[in-house]
């Protein structure tokens, strides 16, 4: 075998190796390693980080102050003032593992809804519980509203108060019990530092990595029994803390939240980048049950649906709370027109995720949700006799996550830099291989066309005779 043929054969080998390994083998190997390390297998870093978040989630709370309470009692439009943020570090930890083989109610509104005949009794009893409160709006310190609690006094011997307190004692799960006659209500105090009652069964991704973190049961049940149709009772998506790798932009990031008895999907918007790493940018909202047929089963009644951007969780929590995005962002303008003082802005109030699809890693995210309570006239409750019709924001929360520099560097240095190096090496091998094939082929062709030239002797000269 001539040297030109050897060059061509070596070049072909380099080309094939660069093509097969660069376009197929390396990615296949890399995906298998990511899938292996991403599965929730006991003893792995992924399992440990999923069970207990290695970094704190930023938790911010914004309260709303009603600046004209007396006028609102006479039917005026509520004027709101945002107060905050009140900032906390939120540490999340999952407890009570087992590997398988393979809030206080708004009393008057709930009484009106469930037992309207008892409104007269509620009217007499409520002032005793709140120390003869003269308004439906409570004045308290932020730390009392959020964590320390506001007193509910059940010491009165008034018949109506005793009847209401009997109900409170039977349903005191969301209250901090001081003694049998004294309770405290706060938004987060009872839950702070305690385990959630919801027990989720999730897939570990050992058999199929696309199932990683997918919730398959809530408290042992494969579906809920909260809403009026099976499609809304389905449990779909992950537990919000983990997502499978290799996610395509055509796929929504779906997660299930037992706190609101619903699955929600973040939708792909555009390619993006975060601190030099390419990401996909996703956003989420609360949908439109008034127009989307798939969300009709979230309507309070078959004939009554809320407008765009409102989600009523009364059936889920037992309290008359309606969710929206902060400041009624991406919500029907009707709700914004009922109050004054709100200014919805995309940058401040949108839900978004900067998502690295290959590893399934959220590099940055902001989950924002506003809690609202509807008010309206209730003739049999003195304090609510002249209230306007309005959906009043109580507070909104923001949970924020940004990967620390060390985690970003880990992805950048150990994964994406390696991928880029392999990408460059792939093209270098393809180009070098083609060049060697071309050079070897040209040399071989040139050699086969060479002709050896031999000088022929000249013919003898013709003899000349004298005289012709």
């Amino acid at each position: 075998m001539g040297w030109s043929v050897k060059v061509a054969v070596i070049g072909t080998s380099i080309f094939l190796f660069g093509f097969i390994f660069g376009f197929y083998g390396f990615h296949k190997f890399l995906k298998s390693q990511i899938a292996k390390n991403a599965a929730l297998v006991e003893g792995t870093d992924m399992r440990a980080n999923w069970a207990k978040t290695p970094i704190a989630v930023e938790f911010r709370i914004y309260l709303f102050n009603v600046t004209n309470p007396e006028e609102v009692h006479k039917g005026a439009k509520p004027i709101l003032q945002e107060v905050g943020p009140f900032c906390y570090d939120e540490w999340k930890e999952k407890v009570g593992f087992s590997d398988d083989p393979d809030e206080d109610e708004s009393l008057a509104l709930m009484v009106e809804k469930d037992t309207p005949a008892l409104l007269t009794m509620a009217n007499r009893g409520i002032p005793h519980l709140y120390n003869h409160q003269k308004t439906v709006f409570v004045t308290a310190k932020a730390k009392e509203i959020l964590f320390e609690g506001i007193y509910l006094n059940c010491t009165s011997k008034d018949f109506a108060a005793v009847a209401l307190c009997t109900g409170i004692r039977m349903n005191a799960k969301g209250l901090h019990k001081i003694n049998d006659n004294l309770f405290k209500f706060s938004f987060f105090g009872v839950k702070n530092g305690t385990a959630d009652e919801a027990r989720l069964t999730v897939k570990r991704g050992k058999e199929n990595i696309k199932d990683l973190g997918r919730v398959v049961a809530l408290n042992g049940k494969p579906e809920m029994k909260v809403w009026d149709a099976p499609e809304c009772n389905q449990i779909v998506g992950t537990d919000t803390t983990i997502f499978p790798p290799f996610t395509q932009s055509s796929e929504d990031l779906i997660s299930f939240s037992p706190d609101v008895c619903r699955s929600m999907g973040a939708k792909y918007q555009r390619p993006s980048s975060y601190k030099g790493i390419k990401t996909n940018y996703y956003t989420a909202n609360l949908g439109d049950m008034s127009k989307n047929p798939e969300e009709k089963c979230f309507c309070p009644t078959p004939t009554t649906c809320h407008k765009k951007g409102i989600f009523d969780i009364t059936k889920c929590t037992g309290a008359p709370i309606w969710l929206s995005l902060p400041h009624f962002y991406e919500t029907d303008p009707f709700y914004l027109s009922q109050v004054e003082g709100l200014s919805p802005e995309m940058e401040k109030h949108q839900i978004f995720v900067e998502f690295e699809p290959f590893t399934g890693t959220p590099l940055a995210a902001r989950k924002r949700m506003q809690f609202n309570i509807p008010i309206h006239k209730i003739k049999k409750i003195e304090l609510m006799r002249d209230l306007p019709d309005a959906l009043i924001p109580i507070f909104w929360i923001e949970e924020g996550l940004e990967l620390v520099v060390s985690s970003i560097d880990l992805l950048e240095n150990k994964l994406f830099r390696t991928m880029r190096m392999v990408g460059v090496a792939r093209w270098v091998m393809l180009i070098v291989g083609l060049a060697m094939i071309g050079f070897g082929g040209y040399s071989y062709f040139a050699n086969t066309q060479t002709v050896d030239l031999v000088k022929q002797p000249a013919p003898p000269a013709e003899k000349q005779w004298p005289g012709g």
Side-chain angles (χ1 to χ4, degrees):
M1 182 185 293
W3 67 270
S4 57
V5 175
K6 291 181 179 180
V7 169
V9 170
I10 295 173
T12 301
S13 300
I14 294 174
F15 178 86
L16 290 175
F17 179 79
F19 182 85
I20 295 172
F21 179 74
F23 286 96
Y24 179 74
F26 174 72
H27 276 270
K28 185 176 178 64
F29 171 77
L30 189 60
K31 290 179 72 172
S32 69
Q33 292 302 302
I34 290 176
K36 178 181 177 181
N37 292 321
L40 298 176
V41 178
E42 192 171 2
T44 63
D45 290 340
M46 179 61 76
R47 171 75 170 250
N49 292 337
W50 173 76
K52 185 176 182 178
T53 53
I55 58 175
V57 175
E58 298 173 13
F59 189 72
R60 299 178 180 178
I61 307 172
Y62 300 78
L63 296 172
F64 287 102
N65 180 36
V66 178
T67 63
N68 61 335
E70 294 182 2
E71 290 78 4
V72 174
H73 273 282
K74 299 175 183 178
K77 182 184 294 188
I79 300 175
L80 304 172
Q81 176 190 29
E82 183 180 276
V83 182
F86 301 92
C87 303
Y88 305 89
D89 285 339
E90 181 182 13
W91 296 91
K92 296 186 177 184
E93 181 178 0
K94 299 177 178 68
V95 297
F97 288 104
S98 63
D99 287 350
D100 296 332
D102 153 38
E103 191 135 328
D104 184 36
E105 300 175 356
S106 173
L107 188 56
L109 292 176
M110 292 308 295
V111 169
E112 181 196 34
K113 178 178 181 294
D114 296 333
T115 51
L118 297 180
L119 284 174
T120 301
M121 183 179 292
N123 181 51
R124 288 177 51 196
I126 288 175
H128 294 283
L129 270 64
Y130 292 97
N131 296 321
H132 298 280
Q133 181 88 5
K134 300 299 183 183
T135 173
V136 296
F137 302 104
V138 175
T139 300
K141 297 178 180 179
K143 63 180 180 180
E144 295 173 338
I145 297 172
L146 298 175
F147 291 100
E148 292 183 355
I150 300 168
Y151 282 104
L152 289 177
N153 190 341
C154 281
T155 59
S156 174
K157 302 302 182 181
D158 179 86
F159 177 77
V162 170
L164 290 177
C165 286
T166 299
I168 288 174
R169 292 186 185 98
M170 294 173 61
N171 299 278
K173 183 173 60 175
L175 301 174
H176 175 58
K177 184 177 179 180
I178 307 299
N179 55 50
D180 196 48
N181 292 319
L182 201 59
F183 302 85
K184 277 187 174 183
F185 163 75
S186 66
F187 288 121
F188 305 106
V190 175
K191 289 188 174 182
N192 189 33
T194 63
D196 199 314
E197 292 184 354
R199 185 174 182 85
L200 300 179
T201 304
V202 304
K203 290 280 191 178
R204 290 176 288 177
K206 290 178 63 178
E207 303 298 327
N208 182 358
I209 195 59
K210 297 299 288 183
D211 281 338
L212 177 67
R214 181 167 66 86
V215 181
V216 295
L218 171 63
N219 296 325
K221 306 292 184 181
E223 63 181 17
M224 299 176 289
K225 293 184 178 181
V226 176
W227 311 106
D228 294 333
E231 54 267 29
C232 285
N233 282 318
Q234 291 181 353
I235 299 174
V236 184
T238 73
D239 68 349
T240 75
T241 63
I242 194 170
F243 294 93
F246 323 129
T247 301
Q248 303 296 318
S249 59
S250 57
E251 301 176 85
D252 293 347
L253 300 180
I254 304 176
S255 58
F256 172 72
S257 175
D259 291 337
V260 299
C261 305
R262 178 180 178 178
S263 294
M264 291 179 59
K267 296 185 177 297
Y268 171 80
Q269 299 298 324
R270 54 181 169 80
S272 183
S273 66
Y274 181 77
K275 294 185 178 180
I277 295 178
K278 292 182 179 180
T279 59
N280 287 336
Y281 190 84
Y282 289 78
T283 64
N285 57 49
L286 291 171
D288 188 353
M289 66 178 70
S290 65
K291 294 182 180 179
N292 188 346
E294 296 179 357
E295 299 177 9
K296 288 288 185 182
C297 45
F298 290 130
C299 296
T301 72
T303 58
T304 306
C305 291
H306 297 308
K307 301 178 186 294
K308 177 185 176 183
I310 295 296
F311 183 60
D312 186 346
I313 60 172
T314 304
K315 291 182 179 180
C316 176
T317 64
I321 300 296
W322 298 6
L323 300 181
S324 70
L325 295 189
H327 286 240
F328 294 133
Y329 175 72
E330 288 195 335
T331 302
D332 191 284
F334 168 76
Y335 300 103
L336 193 61
S337 70
Q338 293 182 320
V339 296
E340 293 182 11
L342 301 183
S343 301
E345 299 179 39
M346 183 183 74
E347 291 296 324
K348 294 181 180 179
H349 305 134
Q350 183 184 59
I351 297 176
F352 74 87
V353 182
E354 292 275 10
F355 189 75
E356 199 295 301
F358 194 72
T359 60
T361 307
L363 302 186
R366 286 288 184 272
K367 178 183 176 183
R368 295 154 170 158
M369 198 66 67
Q370 182 170 291
F371 293 72
N372 314 279
I373 189 167
I375 63 169
H376 60 271
K377 296 178 177 67
I378 300 181
K379 294 296 184 182
K380 293 186 178 181
I381 302 292
E382 186 176 350
L383 291 178
M384 306 180 73
R385 192 163 291 165
D386 297 310
L387 291 179
D389 290 342
L391 184 61
I392 297 186
I394 307 170
F395 64 91
W396 68 273
I397 60 175
E398 176 184 74
E399 291 182 290
L401 173 68
E402 293 185 5
L403 285 195
V404 294
V405 175
S406 58
S407 299
I408 296 292
D409 289 343
L410 185 66
L411 281 175
E412 173 65 24
N413 296 331
K414 289 194 173 182
L415 179 60
F416 298 112
R417 183 174 295 178
T418 301
M419 292 175 66
R420 286 196 295 269
M421 290 174 62
V422 171
V424 171
R426 171 182 64 193
W427 289 108
V428 168
M429 285 189 288
L430 292 178
I431 293 171
V432 169
L434 284 174
M436 293 178 69
I437 293 171
F439 180 76
Y442 172 79
S443 300
Y444 178 79
F445 179 79
N447 288 333
T448 57
Q449 296 300 314
T450 300
V451 178
D452 292 331
L453 297 178
V454 179
K455 187 175 182 179
Q456 298 293 326
E462 193 173 310
K463 189 176 183 179
Q464 299 292 323
W465 299 95

